[in-house]
Amino acid sequence: MPELPDVEGFRRVLRRAAGHPVEAVDVSDAGVLRDASTADFRRSLTGLAFGTPRRLGKWLVAPMHAPGRRHRTDEPSVVFHFGMTGELLWCPGEPDSRHPHDRVVFVTGAGELCFRDLRKLQGLRLAHEDAACDEILAGTGPDAEAIGLEDFRGRLGATRRQVKTALMDQSTVAGLGNLLVDEILWRARLHPTTPTRALADDDWRHLHRRMRSTVRAAIPTGRVPPRSSWLTGRRDQDGSTCPRCGTPVRRTRVGGRATVWCPRCQPS
Ligand SMILES: [Zn+2]
């Protein structure tokens, strides 16, 4: 499932489109268009150029503009959400080269930009102006890469929740998914079900620092890397052990999500 580092990777993919006008929008499956029709997408975007993309948590925004000048607040944006299985990639643009799950293809002078998605849980939204874009993003909390310690603590500590559940909530802090949260808690040596109200000053500092360092280490790889020195690299193997202490890792469900932790490094 795409998390902050994956979406940051898609932002780099999209950045290659900056300045290039959309020559055509091919929609082979309108099931990924949210609150807009194929005709609306085509009519609103064809002829406009991609601007500099930006990301908030797991959202990716492509502001559009008339070629040769900057984006204006009354011009549209395409807002991407990758759900469980979405990706954004450049395709060769040759006949018959398209993948069956390429739901929307933007044909540009830089090539064909494909939104590929197996399960179609989310998709593409069309914001006709910046105010509509702000509305789409309104329920999303500050980005996990950028949030400061005080804001982080204030938001997570404001409700009585388990720390994993709080970190997973996109309206609290945005961009963290199941793999990152397990990785961050393992690095911070916190048990996933620890109530946020039980965290001391040092715990908050430590958790915030580990969140940032984990996110920043993952971003260049465009995913949560399954390195053997990371908990993520051990989570899918039978009989796997903690990369730090060698203790067999434990598995359970927290907030309905498969959760992996080390009973020695992260005592409850
Ligand atoms: Zn351990």
Side-chain angles (χ1 to χ4, degrees):
M1 181 190 245
E3 304 189 22
L4 189 159
D6 306 76
V7 182
E8 187 59 25
F10 302 144
R11 192 183 69 80
R12 294 193 291 264
V13 168
L14 183 57
R15 203 169 51 192
R16 267 185 54 200
H20 291 280
V22 175
E23 294 167 6
V25 185
D26 290 348
V27 178
S28 58
D29 188 341
V32 296
L33 305 183
R34 306 280 155 195
D35 308 324
S37 66
T38 300
D40 202 10
F41 258 78
R42 285 206 185 110
R43 193 174 45 234
S44 303
L45 300 176
T46 305
L48 293 184
F50 283 101
T52 305
R54 64 192 167 89
R55 185 188 55 73
L56 176 65
K58 300 178 188 177
W59 293 99
L60 181 61
V61 179
M64 308 299 292
H65 59 82
R69 60 164 176 72
R70 295 163 69 101
H71 171 80
R72 289 191 327 216
T73 58
D74 62 349
E75 287 179 307
S77 296
V78 184
V79 185
F80 298 83
H81 196 295
F82 299 90
M84 285 280 284
T85 52
E87 9 170 17
L88 196 61
L89 64 168
W90 290 94
C91 296
E94 290 151 7
D96 304 324
S97 69
R98 288 198 188 159
H99 189 280
H101 301 142
D102 287 345
R103 313 293 184 186
V104 177
V105 176
F106 297 95
V107 181
T108 78
E112 295 194 351
L113 181 66
C114 303
F115 179 76
R116 187 174 294 175
D117 195 1
L118 171 64
R119 292 186 58 185
K120 304 187 284 180
L121 292 182
Q122 286 280 343
L124 280 60
R125 288 164 173 81
L126 180 62
H128 285 285
E129 54 191 20
D130 284 4
C133 188
D134 294 346
E135 214 166 287
I136 293 169
L137 304 178
T140 303
D143 192 81
E145 193 200 356
I147 190 171
L149 172 61
E150 288 313 311
D151 196 12
F152 177 72
R153 180 175 181 167
R155 286 172 160 272
L156 267 82
T159 58
R160 293 172 162 248
R161 289 186 293 186
Q162 296 175 338
V163 66
K164 174 160 183 175
T165 307
L167 286 168
M168 295 283 292
D169 179 355
Q170 301 301 300
S171 67
T172 301
V173 54
L176 307 178
N178 202 40
L179 300 186
L180 273 177
V181 168
D182 281 2
E183 187 71 40
I184 291 162
L185 291 173
W186 173 71
R187 291 177 181 217
R189 296 173 183 262
L190 288 172
H191 191 277
T193 63
T194 308
T196 54
R197 66 176 183 279
L199 298 180
D201 288 354
D202 273 356
D203 295 327
W204 283 110
R205 269 195 295 276
H206 204 52
L207 178 59
H208 180 257
R209 197 178 304 135
R210 292 299 173 228
M211 178 183 70
R212 280 210 163 166
S213 62
T214 307
V215 165
R216 286 177 181 174
I219 278 176
T221 69
R223 62 194 298 203
V224 187
R227 292 178 191 144
S228 59
S229 58
W230 289 42
L231 185 68
T232 305
R234 311 286 182 104
R235 64 181 298 137
D236 293 330
Q237 304 158 3
D238 283 337
S240 54
T241 55
C242 169
R244 189 192 285 127
C245 74
T247 303
V249 298
R250 295 256 178 93
R251 295 161 202 281
T252 187
R253 294 188 90 78
V254 175
R257 302 302 303 271
T259 298
V260 177
W261 86 101
C262 171
R264 183 161 172 209
C265 296
Q266 299 164 264
S268 52

